[in-house]
Amino acid sequence: MAACRDELKIITIGGKGSALTSTSVYTIATGHALVRIDSSALDRLTNQNRNPQKPLHSISLTPNKASNLIATRAYLTVLLNKLLHYTNSSNVRTFLPNLIAETLNSNKFGSEAQGLDVEVTEEEKLVIEVSNAELYGVCAILDHEGMGLGVVDDAVAALSCEAVKADVRSFDGVDSGDGFVDKEAATVASDMKVLLVGYDSNKRGESEAVSEIPKVNGRLREVVKALHTMVRVELNSGVKGSSGGSGKAVGTTVSGLAVALLFLGKSSLCRVKMNLDVMGNEVLSSGLVSFYEKKCPSRDDLMKGYKAVTDLLVEEDYVMFGYGVYGLLGIVWKIIAWEEITAFFALEGVELMSGIGGQVYGGEAKVDKKSEKKKKKKTVLGKGTSVIVQLIKDRLQIVGGGSGDSLDILEKWVENLFSFFSPKQPEFDEFVQKVKEIVERNESRRLPKLPKGTRDFANEQMVIRERAFSIIADVFKRHGATSLDTPAFELRETLMGKYGEDSKLIYDLADQGGELCSLRYDLTVPFARYVAMNGITSFKRYQIAKVYRRDNPSKGRYREFYQCDFDIAGQYEEMGPDFEIVKVLTELLDELDIGDYEVKLNHRKLLDGMLEICGVPPEKFRTICSSIDKLDKQSFEQVKKEMVEEKGLAVETADRIGTFVKEKDSPKELLSKLKQEGSEFLQNASSSRALDELEILFDALERSKCIDKVVFDLSLARGLDYYTGVIFEAVFKGTTQVGSIAAGGRYDNLIGMFGSKPVPAVGVSLGIERVFAIMEQLQKDRNETTRPTETQVLLGVMGNKSKIPLAAELTSKLWSAKLKAEFVVSTRFDKIISRANDSKIPWMVLVRDRELETGKVKIKNLETKMEEEVPLSAFVDEVKNRLNL
């Protein structure tokens, strides 16, 4: 089992801060490594002789149920580590770990599981009994082999796809982009596509055995990761007073592996049969079918193995259950190996068989003309699978075919490939590593792509964006706001509970250093956190920054986008800040010149009063508001169905809500209607207060000449939990359908939610990405062009690279004069003029030897084509004059 002792690696166990891994256990268990005990671990143990005064118990260190040598060695390795990390290690004698290490390293401990009888103290006996070393030993084997299988099964499945010319377009649809992706399935699909880059498919039709690969293989990865996490902890945790619950924990985790193995085996068997059906040579096909029927586990074998495992789990014999799953894993390994063998020979068998003297069966030569024809038409393999095929071919060349007829040689090749594909062989680890390298290398060579819901911006797009940001910042500053910048991520607890049902769209980050963090969902909550954290009682701020939402990308809806926020926090005159916020919004949209829009406005207290009037329980106000907020995208009947069937509202209550939310009119007209004598809204304290506040707001908006942009709409609800007063939303009314382009409202309690003194606040957030989409479309409709740069003058120097110092000198003079300039050095005039025209640069300074001899350069207006020679010494001033600077 083991290699030459001089070639074996050494694994140290017991060191402080070191951790025993499943791979280390497996390497020792298979005899491919020697064990060394860290000296610091031995120092912690007692130096009593092996026959102390305490009563001794004679026990055998051979595990009770281990079926083979690998399991026995795994058990001893785990037990050794447990003894070295025992909490009261001073009560464990050094001779016991030394004996185990010597046994593991002994040449005598060889081909069969052998007994290891030893006398131990009461405490040592207790440690051994409660260590669960046998259970976690087999779990370590499952972990290591499972991780290898999780890599190789994708590579083998990719070979089968090549062999049967499968339609693999279904792999592209695994990540639907709705934010609820099956991560492991998506990873498998991605790895498969990497392996199949360049794959020449005839698309014979989609097969379930192919389309299910990402899901089936992904589940294996998922359960192996869970097993790996458990084993990593249990291998390195101290011995506890009892082993209570350990077996059930293992049963829960490993049973998932058993199920995954069952379905992986079934799926692989289907592809084995598909591979045999497309074998390009009758003799080769019949030979492989014969070997397959004799040696490949059947579906019945797979089911029997799984049933035996489930019976052991029900009986709560967890150690034997572990060994049973190990046996099931062995069955699946053989099936995967057969899939690899049949796929390989379906791809390369004809060529290999012709290389050993033609197709020979029983000593009689047979020429298969169809096969010869197919051989001439070489299959184009994917970049990844072609490397795997070559690895297998190299393996066959190393072991050779020997003498005999072709079927004898074929049988030897099959046997050698089985050996090559055994996880117990050192060559297998090299194969797994090679597959990983193929995926990673091909991944890096593939053209990169953007994540869904994100965009790149360059050239003309950036000009539009920068101009818009400048306009927005100017409006904010005009109203006395100062800039604030906050981190792109916050503590998760800061963000949770602030967004109602939209909290599911928050991007959580992986735990790094013990803090649970999330990317910011908006700029309002970080602003509130900043105000509360710093004890600020009055603050008018603006912020232009990116936010992140795990949303379903669509036109105008992204996962990463800019928001432009303006907020006023502090005690001010009633409705004064609310008016200014709405005024700022109308100024922004007017100055961005996007066209027609309207600002829908409502009041959260008016909504609460309306819901109370309709009979909605107070505890359902927020969730019903979330439903009402969908009325801009859904019909009332759809919203009503959600309120009744999902949120438990009475049909009569929902119908009454429907009569109110249909109300929409100009601000003063609808306000007058709601304040008529006898109105139910006036009889409700919450809605009555809201109507009084809205009357002040509408009067202010009328005096400021912007009320014509506002619509009073009772269906506007805004789903965020933190709103307490006026709420509003701006909607573009042009042909470009982008939905809401800005929104905001009053949130008097949000800052106080952070444990500080409540500070009332109101704000607006501009969804700038949607505004950009409108501006870009308007530019196309108007056939407007935008210069990608602001370069005012191009310095063109005729000549070769020896002229670069001259270009550097003259261009630096332009830059020193604060002119926006570029330079180009070329022997071709057309290249210089093309550079200027492509960038739409208005002026050019042409420097040629014949003008330089007279101390002059030529200035050219590229629009009018007028040109003039000017003194070199004054060319900067001449350029400034022409630019009216």
Side-chain angles (χ1 to χ4, degrees), residues 353-532:
M353 295 299 284
S354 64
I356 56 173
Q359 290 75 38
V360 182
Y361 189 81
E364 297 182 8
K366 292 186 178 182
V367 178
D368 190 334
K369 293 182 180 179
K370 289 183 180 180
S371 300
E372 287 295 318
K373 192 174 181 181
K374 285 184 179 180
K375 188 182 78 172
K376 293 177 183 177
K377 189 177 180 181
K378 185 70 175 176
T379 301
V380 179
L381 300 179
K383 290 182 180 179
T385 47
S386 62
V387 177
I388 295 171
V389 166
Q390 189 59 49
L391 285 172
I392 299 172
K393 291 173 75 173
D394 291 345
R395 167 71 180 186
L396 294 182
Q397 288 173 5
I398 291 171
V399 297
S403 59
D405 69 21
S406 57
L407 286 184
D408 290 336
I409 295 172
L410 178 61
E411 186 170 12
K412 289 177 183 177
W413 278 345
V414 169
E415 290 172 355
N416 281 314
L417 287 179
F418 261 110
S419 175
F420 176 57
F421 222 63
S422 169
K424 300 171 182 62
Q425 299 301 321
E427 297 92 338
F428 178 76
D429 287 339
E430 296 174 9
F431 178 70
V432 170
Q433 193 57 41
K434 192 66 179 179
V435 172
K436 289 180 179 179
E437 289 174 4
I438 291 168
V439 172
E440 292 169 1
R441 184 172 66 248
N442 277 359
E443 189 76 60
S444 66
R445 289 181 180 178
R446 283 198 307 165
L447 282 176
K449 65 177 185 178
L450 282 170
K452 290 181 175 64
T454 63
R455 294 192 296 171
D456 287 324
F457 300 96
N459 301 333
E460 290 84 356
Q461 286 179 310
M462 281 306 299
V463 173
I464 294 173
R465 293 169 75 86
E466 288 175 351
R467 184 173 72 237
F469 284 140
S470 177
I471 291 170
I472 293 164
D474 284 345
V475 171
F476 289 161
K477 291 175 183 178
R478 186 188 308 155
H479 287 261
T482 56
S483 182
L484 174 69
D485 187 29
T486 57
F489 57 91
E490 298 273 350
L491 290 176
R492 192 168 188 272
E493 64 191 43
T494 298
L495 304 181
M496 296 309 293
K498 313 297 190 305
Y499 304 108
E501 295 181 3
D502 283 348
S503 292
K504 64 188 178 185
L505 302 181
I506 293 174
Y507 268 113
D508 292 330
L509 301 179
D511 181 8
Q512 296 289 341
E515 286 188 336
L516 295 177
C517 297
S518 302
L519 293 176
R520 61 189 175 203
Y521 176 90
D522 65 4
L523 300 178
T524 305
V525 171
F527 166 66
R529 187 265 308 153
Y530 173 83
V531 172

Side-chain angles (χ1 to χ4, degrees), residues 144-160 191-192 195 213 217 220-221 264 268 271 332-333 336-337 339-340 388 392 420-423 427-436 439:
H144 178 82
E145 290 197 6
M147 286 191 292
L149 183 60
V151 174
V152 170
D153 60 352
D154 295 345
V156 171
L159 287 180
S160 292
D191 289 351
M192 292 289 292
L195 289 165
I213 290 171
N217 293 18
L220 177 71
R221 288 192 183 196
L264 177 65
S268 182
R271 292 191 294 275
V332 175
W333 264 118
I336 295 291
E339 183 183 354
E340 174 251 353
I388 295 171
I392 299 172
F420 176 57
F421 222 63
S422 169
E427 297 92 338
F428 178 76
D429 287 339
E430 296 174 9
F431 178 70
V432 170
Q433 193 57 41
K434 192 66 179 179
V435 172
K436 289 180 179 179
V439 172

Side-chain angles (χ1 to χ4, degrees), residues 27-225:
T27 307
I28 296 169
T30 51
H32 297 128
L34 298 174
V35 175
R36 185 178 74 86
I37 300 175
D38 190 273
S39 58
S40 65
L42 291 175
D43 291 341
R44 296 193 297 268
L45 305 180
T46 179
N47 287 317
Q48 295 180 36
N49 59 41
R50 63 181 294 170
N51 297 307
Q53 298 301 316
K54 296 179 180 179
L56 296 175
H57 302 270
S58 181
I59 65 170
S60 174
L61 292 183
T62 302
N64 297 325
K65 302 175 181 179
S67 57
N68 59 41
L69 181 59
I70 292 177
T72 299
R73 292 176 63 88
Y75 157 72
L76 289 176
T77 304
V78 175
L79 178 59
L80 174 60
N81 194 55
K82 291 289 185 180
L83 288 169
L84 295 174
H85 286 91
Y86 179 46
T87 306
N88 298 320
S89 55
S90 60
N91 293 331
V92 175
R93 294 167 296 154
T94 57
F95 106 90
L96 189 56
N98 281 330
L99 176 63
I100 295 174
E102 289 168 8
T103 303
L104 287 169
N105 293 338
S106 172
N107 285 327
K108 296 178 182 178
F109 199 73
S111 59
E112 296 180 0
Q114 300 176 7
L116 183 59
D117 296 328
V118 64
E119 291 186 328
V120 296
T121 65
E122 182 68 32
E123 189 158 1
E124 290 168 345
K125 180 174 178 287
L126 178 64
V127 173
I128 294 168
E129 288 175 348
V130 301
S131 67
N132 288 307
E134 186 170 9
L135 182 61
Y136 294 125
V138 70
C139 284
I141 295 172
L142 292 173
D143 180 21
H144 178 82
E145 290 197 6
M147 286 191 292
L149 183 60
V151 174
V152 170
D153 60 352
D154 295 345
V156 171
L159 287 180
S160 292
C161 291
E162 297 267 19
V164 302
K165 299 294 181 189
D167 184 350
V168 297
R169 287 175 294 181
S170 60
F171 295 167
D172 293 327
V174 175
D175 184 356
S176 59
D178 59 4
F180 298 96
V181 63
D182 182 338
K183 292 182 180 179
E184 296 302 336
T187 302
V188 171
S190 176
D191 289 351
M192 292 289 292
K193 288 189 285 185
V194 168
L195 289 165
L196 293 167
V197 168
Y199 159 55
D200 181 20
S201 169
N202 292 332
K203 295 176 182 174
R204 292 182 176 172
E206 189 174 38
S207 163
E208 185 178 356
V210 171
S211 62
E212 71 184 10
I213 290 171
K215 289 284 188 182
V216 172
N217 293 18
R219 291 290 69 74
L220 177 71
R221 288 192 183 196
E222 186 175 63
V223 296
V224 168
K225 282 184 177 179

Side-chain angles (χ1 to χ4, degrees), residues 637-651:
E637 288 305 314
Q638 291 174 301
V639 172
K640 175 184 173 181
K641 184 177 180 181
E642 177 182 306
M643 290 190 294
V644 173
E645 296 183 4
E646 296 181 23
K647 299 184 177 179
L649 213 59
V651 174

Side-chain angles (χ1 to χ4, degrees), residues 281-326:
N281 176 281
E282 292 181 10
V283 176
L284 178 63
S285 176
S286 62
L288 278 176
V289 168
S290 176
F291 299 150
Y292 160 74
E293 290 175 346
K294 292 176 184 176
K295 298 184 178 182
C296 181
S298 66
R299 186 183 178 93
D300 287 343
D301 295 329
L302 192 62
M303 292 303 299
K304 287 177 183 176
Y306 178 73
K307 186 177 184 306
V309 163
T310 54
D311 289 345
L312 289 167
L313 182 61
V314 171
E315 293 168 8
E316 299 187 13
D317 190 342
Y318 299 114
V319 173
M320 286 306 297
F321 167 70
Y323 287 131
V325 177
Y326 183 29

